[in-house]
Amino acid sequence: YPIEQLAVNCDFLETCYLLLNGELPNAQEKSEFDSLVMRHNMVHEQLHFFLRGFRRDAHPMAVLTGLVGALSAFYHDSTDVSNPHHRHVSAIRLIAKMPTLVAMAHKYTKGQPYMYPQNDLSYTGNFLRMMFATPCEDYKVNDVVERALDRILILHADHEQNASTSTVRLCGSSGTNPFAAIAAGVACLWGPSHGGANEAALNMLEHLQANGGVAKVGEFMEQVKDKNSSVRLMGFGHRVYKNYDPRAKLMQETTKEVLMALGLENDPLFKLAMELERIALEDQYFVDRKLYPNVDFYSGIVQRAIGIPTSLFTAIFALARTVGWIAQWNEMLSDPDYKIGRPRQLYVGSSRRDVPKMDAR
Ligand code: SDX
């Protein structure tokens, strides 16, 4: 299915169903799946004590890596990874609980009370409420924001053998607990070359905006092209995509929709990002190297407009990618011939030698 059609015609839970089952759900299947997921979104109360162990200014990805790993200490009833039913239960639990964990990490940072899930809301509407509501007043989900964030989750759901998915596969191939394997994926995604790029891209735009904005773009691009500088155009380039990432175009359109809906159409960062893209796509350095915007280039701007703090962007990416990780983990373990992973290496070190005594070294 073309991602452009999924992002427009489906919601995130339909995409989750597709990734887990290989087919899109019909109305009955969708209703049952949505209800199943929404009935597993609470986490064990004991997890509140895990959060208290973190400093309030801990990076949300440090917290999320810890919380997801900690889930492996709670669910002893479904950790036989050779049992398809156990794998299904773990998949549903992870998809259902990630929004709750991400929202808890956010509330903990802010010093606000956690908001419990509300099952009569949509998956994404419930996440927005857990993130931004307080016990002090009713919270109304903004339909445009809900739809935009749901689309962002779809765009991030799965993407072949990227670094974090390969991490989950390799980790899961030992037969370890599914929550431990997903925690490994969260840890890998955190890196600025991977899922951490959306946070890095927005920080880059804000730094540029604070230091001359569009007028200084030319100077910045010279730094990016200078091999001696460590400056990279975050949100550009890809390990495998050597053309325009279709997700980036959809992300740009979604960003425009949200900014218009929120009266932020003149957002200077969005204008700066589009100017950066225009210049990069015309610059021979980028043309020669087939560097295009990737999924992370615009996602920070729309998440910032929604009110999501920059440090939480990668946690949102992890929330979305959990279904891709767990679907691929399940695919691997469903193969009766699967074996523990063992990447090959070409040894190019010293040839065989004897250990010299200390005084001879
Ligand atoms: C994601 O794998 C996936 O599918 C990942 C992902 C997913 O959905 O899971 O799509 C999500 O991780 C997207 C990528 C997010 N990362 C960033 O936006 C960080 C910035 N990008 C770069 O760090 C880089 O592009 C990588 C890490 C993404 C890819 O690195 P590569 O494979 O080294 O890039 P390349 O081989 O295409 O580089 C070719 C040339 C090199 O220069 P030369 O040595 O040939 O002179 O382009 C240069 C690179 O130095 N280059 C960049 C650049 N990316 C590559 N120069 C400036 N800015 C950049 N962003």
Side-chain angles (χ1 to χ4, degrees):
Y1 295 107
I3 187 71
E4 303 86 69
Q5 293 183 27
L6 275 180
V8 172
N9 299 308
C10 299
D11 67 18
F12 179 64
L13 284 188
E14 284 175 79
T15 306
C16 290
Y17 185 97
L18 170 63
L19 285 166
L20 293 176
N21 300 294
E23 297 295 342
L24 284 168
N26 60 34
Q28 173 71 20
E29 290 161 337
K30 173 173 172 50
S31 169
E32 288 166 2
F33 184 75
D34 287 7
S35 166
L36 179 65
V37 170
M38 294 309 282
R39 284 200 322 273
H40 285 80
N41 50 29
M42 274 211 305
V43 294
H44 197 293
E45 281 292 293
Q46 293 285 111
L47 275 166
H48 293 184
F49 298 116
F50 279 86
L51 276 145
R52 284 186 203 154
F54 291 102
R55 287 171 41 146
R56 293 275 180 178
D57 62 352
H59 193 287
M61 286 302 277
V63 176
L64 195 62
T65 304
L67 289 179
V68 176
L71 288 180
S72 52
F74 285 87
Y75 299 111
H76 301 291
D77 64 340
S78 60
T79 55
D80 172 4
V81 296
S82 65
N83 179 332
H85 176 64
H86 283 201
R87 295 201 301 269
H88 177 66
V89 168
S90 298
I92 297 300
R93 278 177 166 150
L94 278 156
I95 292 166
K97 297 177 192 308
M98 282 300 268
T100 310
L101 294 177
V102 172
M104 285 170 72
H106 174 59
K107 287 297 193 186
Y108 183 73
T109 304
K110 293 191 72 171
Q112 288 185 356
Y114 308 126
M115 297 302 290
Y116 284 94
Q118 200 163 305
N119 297 353
D120 60 351
L121 294 173
S122 75
Y123 182 87
T124 302
N126 176 49
F127 174 63
L128 286 167
R129 182 180 170 281
M130 290 191 290
M131 279 282 293
F132 299 118
T134 67
C136 318
E137 57 191 24
D138 289 343
Y139 175 82
K140 171 100 177 68
V141 176
N142 176 313
D143 295 344
V144 173
V145 170
E146 179 183 22
R147 184 73 197 110
L149 185 55
D150 195 79
R151 182 179 298 177
I152 288 168
L153 299 182
I154 292 172
L155 294 178
H156 286 83
D158 190 36
H159 206 240
E160 300 174 356
Q161 302 316 308
N162 56 84
S164 53
T165 298
S166 305
T167 299
V168 170
R169 279 180 173 262
L170 192 53
C171 184
S173 73
S174 71
T176 190
N177 178 293
F179 301 97
I182 298 299
V186 175
C188 176
L189 187 75
W190 189 3
S193 289
H194 189 12
N198 52 20
E199 176 180 357
L202 195 89
N203 289 335
M204 171 190 76
L205 290 168
E206 287 184 329
H207 177 78
L208 252 178
Q209 185 60 22
N211 293 276
V214 174
K216 290 284 187 180
V217 164
E219 195 179 306
F220 174 71
M221 293 302 268
E222 288 314 306
Q223 284 180 4
V224 167
K225 295 186 284 187
D226 173 6
K227 283 290 167 217
N228 300 319
S229 86
S230 59
V231 175
R232 286 209 151 189
L233 187 53
M234 301 311 281
F236 261 72
H238 201 274
R239 279 309 273 120
V240 290
Y241 268 141
K242 299 309 171 191
N243 48 28
Y244 204 101
D245 184 335
R247 301 169 298 173
K249 180 56 78 187
L250 284 159
M251 195 64 79
Q252 187 192 72
E253 287 161 12
T254 303
T255 304
K256 270 189 192 130
E257 280 169 31
V258 171
L259 293 176
M260 291 290 283
L262 298 178
L264 301 170
E265 56 273 15
N266 294 318
D267 181 321
L269 280 193
F270 187 53
K271 291 189 178 311
L272 177 60
M274 291 208 287
E275 180 60 7
L276 260 178
E277 175 184 345
R278 184 189 65 77
I279 292 174
L281 295 185
E282 290 170 359
D283 189 298
Q284 211 51 47
Y285 174 96
F286 285 79
V287 172
D288 293 347
R289 293 167 176 80
K290 301 185 185 320
L291 300 177
Y292 296 89
N294 57 48
V295 69
D296 292 308
F297 188 59
Y298 287 102
S299 73
I301 298 169
V302 60
Q303 291 186 70
R304 175 176 168 274
I306 290 172
I308 295 168
T310 307
S311 63
L312 206 75
F313 291 172
T314 310
I316 307 277
F317 193 153
L319 188 170
R321 186 53 58 88
T322 292
V323 63
W325 290 331
I326 202 71
Q328 294 212 34
W329 167 83
N330 188 48
E331 178 184 67
M332 171 183 70
L333 294 174
S334 304
D335 176 353
D337 300 329
Y338 102 88
K339 292 189 181 310
I340 185 169
R342 185 76 163 74
R344 291 178 299 166
Q345 69 176 52
L346 285 176
Y347 178 73
V348 293
S350 307
S351 53
R352 181 185 171 78
R353 50 188 170 164
D354 296 327
V355 176
K357 294 259 184 284
M358 183 57 80
D359 57 13
R361 291 180 201 167

